[in-house]
Amino acid sequence: MAAKKLYESFSKELIEDVHRWGSMKQTSVSLKYMMEFGSRPTARNLLISSQFLHKELPIRIARRAIELQNLPYGLSLKPAVLKVRDWYLDSFRDLRSFPDIKDQNDELEFTRMINLVKVRHNNVVPMMALGVQQLKKDLDPKIDYKDLDEIHQFLDRFYMSRIGIRMLIGQHVVLHDPNPPPDCVGYIHTKMSPLEVARSASEDARCICLREYGSAPNVNIYGDPNFTFPYVPTHLHLMVFELVKNSLRAVEERFVDSDKVAPPIRIIVADGLEDVSDEGGGIPRSGLPKIFTYLYSTARNPLDEHSDLETTDVASPSTLAGYGYGLPISRLYARYFGGDLQIISMEGYGTDAYLHLSRLGDSQEPLP
Amino acid sequence: MAAKKVGDTLSRELAEEVKKWGCMKQTGVSLRQMMNFGGKFSHKNLLISAKFVHRELRVRIARRVIKLENLPYGLSSKAAVLKVRDWYLDSFRDLRSYPEIKDKNDELEFTQMVKMIKVRHNNVVPMMALGVQQLKKERPKFDYEDLREIHQFLDRFYMSRIGIRMLIGQHVALHDPNPLPNCVGYIHTKMSPLEVARNASEDARGICLREYGSAPDINIYGDPDFTFPYVPSHLHMMVFELVKNSVRAVQERFMDSDKVAPPIRIIVADGLEDVTIKISDEGGGIPRSGLPKIFTYLYSTARNPLDEDFMTTDVATACTMAGYGYGIPISRLYARYFGGDLQIISMEGYGTDAYLHLSRLGDSQEPLT
């Protein structure tokens, strides 16, 4: 049971350390640098990388831990949020108590340790979602999503930071792979075909739709099959999957009882931009701001108080609609690499989602 | 020759009046209110309308005079801007010196007077454009960022002008003994957006044909029976501007190519709250970095047809394919005037989609700044 008072679980010295490191300046890594550096994973480079992470990760993690303690409306005291805070504090302690990295053995141990840190934080998103849900129950039901703006801004920063931390850790860990797939530098595929990723992501989304509804609208994809650029395929897959999932569900629900053939979802891939269009009936303009908030969903929330989030793995989105995080998180992923996600809807007709991707290399990590 | 300061030629009294009225609260009217009020023709209503307009115009026009006198970067003292300010002052003076409206004759005279005011202000937009241009000539190092304050001013200024002209126009139209069926002044209670879109795109195609000798096809999709209350001239203007841009982009992209120019697609969607018109082209698109610029004033990738001679010529209608860069920002103001919006998303290397959102309910108040 998560302790409400910090000092019950963590020593005074640690807390002071957290405050000290949380005020230090973060260093953003240029994605071009990640690619260039990662292409030469020599023992020396791995040492340099681990020494950098040994300094940088505690700064970023401490910053988050402090923010988690100072959330508005009493969000910081919700059990689920306290749990997340404890994860961050444990990870901070692990990093700080790790001795100086001097040789290859140290480096390997360090890598193992930060990999465990990453695993520890696997369920942060659903756990925070639960925390916000716990808060909503306590709050005056008359409160509108707009009033929760402070919380939304916090969550945006928090999750964006998490993307960065996991990218740094993941890249470092994967660089130890003795047999990397061709053209890959860690998570980065130097010749990623957005068309191909879009194809597999939409097939995955269609499968889920078939499973839930028994049928699924077609997805037509247009674009240059030979066009490639450096990007992180898993990120793109996640974003396209989320967007197509929404489109499929909208179209399916609109045409399920109709004689008409469901119009296909169209995806246009244009040199760094993916346009996912559906004719699923659209969203009124008044409803659009809500879709980027956390915990707005027109579907049943699969999370509840009784989920054992410590041991269950809620990592994969196996339902067609869930706890309402698909769009805001997708937008964070897009923005992490200097891109963006825009959604425009035409009420009574359908919705268009524009995923702008920047070619890796030009942008720095955004560090909130 | 325009006087540089109000106080120089006009009495101090007038200047104080302007100040007084410029601080008074403006009263916004919604499309629905305009429609409901205008639908009942009676002398009593005409009188009420005239009194309201007499008061409200003074408030709005005085406000604009004050703003025009306090622009940043010395814009207020540019010759063209001084001319506009004098137009507003003259109109304020006309309104102020008009006596209280008591009967039918007063009311008819008043209506004639506000009609003349509207005519006096016909060329405000190009004249202000010239003023900004005069400023830019003096300060070539001006960046779009620096011009942000000016853009904000222009947005509010032009929005206010739309409102003033709407009020005057509606009042004048109330006097029409034989109004068109289903029309209340400028408002068509059963406007078909599909039909307006069709007309506007045909006009845009016409201009393209004239300038380039050919024009891409335009396909329009939507419910031909759907209607809702709106101002057709506003919608026509907005669709015309957007389609003009699309047609030009596609034409220039495929002019020297063997490929057939892909058609421009217009979708008219009707929802419960919103009516959305989407105009899509495959004209090659705009990079994301270039998008903010298209909503600024005086950004245009075409030759600027304005020049100094304009101060004496009358350039009322913009008949060229691309002009002084006002089409998109002004269209957005028209859209927002009745609670709608204009969004433009582009896909560099492919094409551009413009979304014209219109409010179906007509409940929103005029935006007043």
Side-chain angles (χ1 to χ4, degrees):
Chain A
M1 164 85 179
K4 292 222 155 84
K5 290 233 173 356
L6 201 52
Y7 297 105
E8 289 172 23
S9 309
F10 303 95
S11 71
K12 195 159 173 266
E13 288 81 27
L14 182 73
I15 303 310
E16 281 172 10
D17 210 22
V18 169
H19 280 281
R20 196 157 51 95
W21 282 76
S23 327
M24 281 156 65
K25 195 164 172 290
Q26 301 175 104
T27 306
S28 79
V29 182
S30 137
L31 303 160
K32 192 175 190 182
Y33 182 78
M34 276 191 211
M35 262 198 311
E36 286 172 357
F37 185 83
S39 59
R40 293 172 262 118
T42 58
R44 182 163 174 276
N45 276 0
L46 288 176
L47 200 68
I48 294 173
S49 171
S50 60
Q51 284 165 344
F52 167 72
L53 288 179
H54 195 191
K55 279 216 147 49
E56 181 63 18
L57 288 178
I59 296 176
R60 298 197 189 188
I61 287 175
R63 214 182 185 84
R64 258 52 261 173
I66 294 170
E67 257 198 332
L68 281 165
Q69 298 256 104
N70 295 300
L71 298 173
Y73 305 108
L75 181 56
S76 296
L77 299 170
K78 296 287 160 276
V81 178
L82 287 168
K83 205 174 204 90
V84 176
R85 181 210 66 190
D86 288 350
W87 287 341
Y88 274 77
L89 284 176
D90 287 338
S91 302
F92 180 81
R93 188 172 29 197
D94 289 346
L95 281 157
R96 287 290 293 135
S97 57
F98 199 89
D100 282 346
I101 303 161
K102 293 199 187 68
D103 58 36
Q104 202 179 15
N105 286 327
D106 295 340
E107 197 279 318
L108 281 170
E109 283 252 2
F110 177 78
T111 301
R112 226 167 273 136
M113 188 262 291
I114 59 174
N115 199 33
L116 286 175
V117 164
K118 189 161 177 275
V119 170
R120 172 188 285 137
H121 290 249
N122 274 354
N123 291 331
V124 161
V125 177
M127 189 60 87
M128 283 303 296
L130 189 58
V132 176
Q133 209 175 6
Q134 288 165 347
L135 179 71
K136 275 174 86 180
K137 282 206 179 115
D138 291 343
L139 282 180
D140 184 347
K142 286 192 223 121
I143 288 188
D144 187 14
Y145 295 105
K146 285 192 235 100
D147 298 334
L148 293 175
D149 199 41
E150 247 186 283
I151 294 184
H152 289 133
Q153 285 183 23
F154 155 73
L155 286 174
D156 264 346
R157 289 194 302 269
F158 184 74
Y159 293 139
M160 179 68 97
S161 162
R162 181 171 183 271
I163 291 173
I165 291 170
R166 291 174 88 74
M167 185 72 194
L168 287 187
I169 295 178
Q171 275 298 92
H172 181 82
V173 168
V174 172
L175 286 178
H176 289 73
D177 183 353
N179 294 318
D183 295 324
C184 285
V185 176
Y187 289 160
I188 303 168
H189 193 312
T190 56
K191 295 196 171 102
M192 183 196 79
S193 157
L195 197 77
E196 198 181 303
V197 175
R199 198 169 281 146
S200 63
S202 17
E203 271 320 299
D204 290 350
R206 278 190 88 248
C207 280
I208 293 186
C209 185
L210 270 159
R211 223 164 51 207
E212 275 197 31
Y213 291 89
S215 64
N218 285 335
V219 179
N220 300 340
I221 310 183
Y222 309 87
D224 180 359
N226 299 321
F227 170 63
T228 71
F229 72 108
Y231 204 75
V232 176
T234 44
H235 287 190
L236 181 58
H237 190 280
L238 180 147
M239 296 186 279
V240 175
F241 176 76
E242 288 296 328
L243 293 172
V244 175
K245 231 181 21 158
N246 288 347
S247 289
L248 286 171
R249 181 168 159 249
V251 173
E252 191 59 37
E253 294 201 348
R254 190 182 199 209
F255 289 86
V256 77
D257 299 316
S258 151
D259 294 328
K260 297 191 201 150
V261 176
I265 283 133
R266 298 178 358 129
I267 300 180
I268 299 171
V269 181
D271 197 10
L273 180 135
E274 312 228 352
D275 170 18
V276 179
S277 295
D278 69 60
E279 287 175 45
I283 307 162
R285 259 191 309 147
S286 58
L288 268 180
K290 289 199 208 130
I291 68 176
F292 280 110
T293 61
Y294 294 95
L295 278 202
Y296 172 75
S297 176
T298 51
R300 226 182 53 254
N301 192 329
L303 263 192
D304 61 45
E305 295 285 342
H306 309 294
S307 310
D308 184 2
L309 286 172
E310 285 242 61
T311 49
T312 358
D313 182 21
V314 192
S316 48
S318 44
T319 52
L320 207 46
Y323 43 77
Y325 273 50
L327 286 177
I329 298 256
S330 295
R331 187 166 66 173
L332 290 181
Y333 274 108
R335 288 178 173 174
Y336 178 67
F337 288 132
D340 205 356
L341 168 61
Q342 282 175 288
I343 301 207
I344 311 229
S345 195
M346 313 208 302
E347 194 195 7
Y349 181 78
T351 300
D352 297 337
Y354 295 84
L355 200 45
H356 304 269
L357 309 174
S358 267
R359 293 161 186 261
L360 270 198
D362 297 341
S363 44
Q364 297 274 111
E365 293 178 278
L367 294 174
Chain B
M1 169 74 184
K4 289 221 166 15
K5 278 216 171 0
V6 178
D8 288 351
T9 46
L10 304 163
S11 65
R12 246 169 119 238
E13 233 183 83
L14 181 67
E16 276 172 19
E17 282 267 318
V18 169
K19 230 193 212 162
K20 182 170 71 124
W21 283 85
C23 300
M24 281 155 64
K25 194 164 172 289
Q26 301 174 101
T27 306
V29 187
S30 76
L31 179 121
R32 184 170 289 192
Q33 283 168 323
M34 287 186 205
M35 217 171 43
N36 292 339
F37 185 80
K40 305 176 235 110
F41 177 89
S42 72
H43 290 298
K44 179 163 174 278
N45 275 3
L46 285 177
L47 212 62
I48 294 173
S49 175
K51 286 189 188 171
F52 171 74
V53 170
H54 189 195
R55 185 179 193 287
E56 185 62 19
L57 282 186
R58 265 179 289 179
V59 175
R60 296 193 190 190
I61 287 178
R63 208 183 189 86
R64 257 49 258 175
V65 172
I66 296 171
K67 300 262 184 216
L68 279 166
E69 302 236 305
N70 292 295
L71 297 172
Y73 307 108
L75 181 57
S76 297
S77 46
K78 295 288 151 280
V81 178
L82 286 168
K83 203 177 197 86
V84 174
R85 183 214 61 191
D86 287 346
W87 288 341
Y88 275 79
L89 264 181
D90 287 340
S91 302
F92 179 80
R93 203 181 359 204
D94 289 345
L95 286 159
R96 169 200 185 234
S97 56
Y98 199 87
E100 204 192 320
I101 302 162
K102 292 198 190 71
D103 59 37
K104 196 171 143 187
N105 287 327
D106 293 340
E107 198 280 318
L108 280 170
E109 276 223 27
F110 173 78
T111 302
Q112 283 304 105
M113 194 255 296
V114 296
K115 229 184 182 171
M116 304 270 281
I117 288 179
K118 191 159 176 278
V119 170
R120 172 188 283 137
H121 291 247
N122 273 354
N123 291 330
V124 160
V125 176
M127 190 59 85
M128 282 304 296
L130 188 58
V132 177
Q133 207 176 10
Q134 288 166 345
L135 182 70
K136 276 175 91 179
K137 276 205 181 124
E138 275 178 22
R139 297 181 179 224
K141 289 202 208 104
F142 248 177
D143 185 15
Y144 292 109
E145 272 307 304
D146 298 329
L147 289 174
R148 210 153 43 104
E149 244 187 284
I150 295 185
H151 286 134
Q152 281 182 17
F153 156 74
L154 286 173
D155 263 347
R156 290 193 290 261
F157 183 75
Y158 292 140
M159 181 68 96
S160 161
R161 180 173 182 270
I162 291 173
I164 290 170
R165 290 174 89 73
M166 189 72 197
L167 285 188
I168 295 178
Q170 282 298 98
H171 177 78
V172 168
L174 286 178
H175 292 74
D176 187 351
N178 294 318
L180 291 166
N182 295 318
C183 284
V184 177
Y186 289 159
I187 304 169
H188 193 311
T189 58
K190 295 197 170 100
M191 183 194 80
S192 155
L194 197 75
E195 199 183 304
V196 174
R198 198 169 281 145
N199 290 335
S201 18
E202 272 318 302
D203 289 352
R205 273 189 96 247
I207 292 186
C208 184
L209 269 160
R210 225 163 50 209
E211 275 200 31
Y212 292 89
S214 64
D217 283 335
I218 301 177
N219 300 339
I220 310 185
Y221 309 87
D223 180 0
D225 299 324
F226 169 66
T227 72
F228 76 111
Y230 203 73
V231 176
S233 55
H234 287 188
L235 183 58
H236 188 281
M237 186 244 155
M238 297 187 280
V239 175
F240 174 76
E241 287 298 326
L242 294 170
V243 175
K244 222 174 39 149
N245 288 345
S246 287
V247 161
R248 179 170 161 247
V250 173
Q251 186 65 22
E252 292 200 347
R253 193 184 197 206
F254 290 85
M255 237 175 3
D256 302 317
S257 149
D258 294 328
K259 299 191 200 150
V260 176
I264 283 135
R265 300 181 354 131
I266 301 181
I267 297 172
V268 180
D270 56 284
L272 295 170
E273 295 175 22
D274 309 320
V275 175
T276 314
I277 298 172
K278 175 182 173 190
I279 298 159
S280 298
D281 69 62
E282 288 175 48
I286 309 160
R288 257 193 310 150
S289 56
L291 269 179
K293 287 200 209 126
I294 67 174
F295 281 106
T296 61
Y297 294 95
L298 279 199
Y299 172 74
S300 175
T301 51
R303 227 182 52 254
N304 192 328
L306 268 191
D307 60 42
E308 294 291 334
D309 287 340
F310 176 60
M311 304 256 328
T312 48
T313 355
D314 178 24
V315 188
T317 42
C319 308
T320 51
M321 202 55 206
Y324 43 79
Y326 273 49
I328 291 181
I330 299 255
S331 295
R332 186 166 65 172
L333 291 181
Y334 274 106
R336 288 178 172 175
Y337 179 67
F338 282 130
D341 205 356
L342 168 61
Q343 282 175 293
I344 300 195
I345 309 240
S346 196
M347 307 192 278
E348 194 188 5
Y350 181 78
T352 301
D353 294 336
Y355 295 81
L356 205 42
H357 302 276
L358 309 173
S359 173
R360 186 174 175 172
L361 307 169
D363 291 339
S364 48
Q365 295 281 105
E366 299 172 270
L368 295 170
T369 44

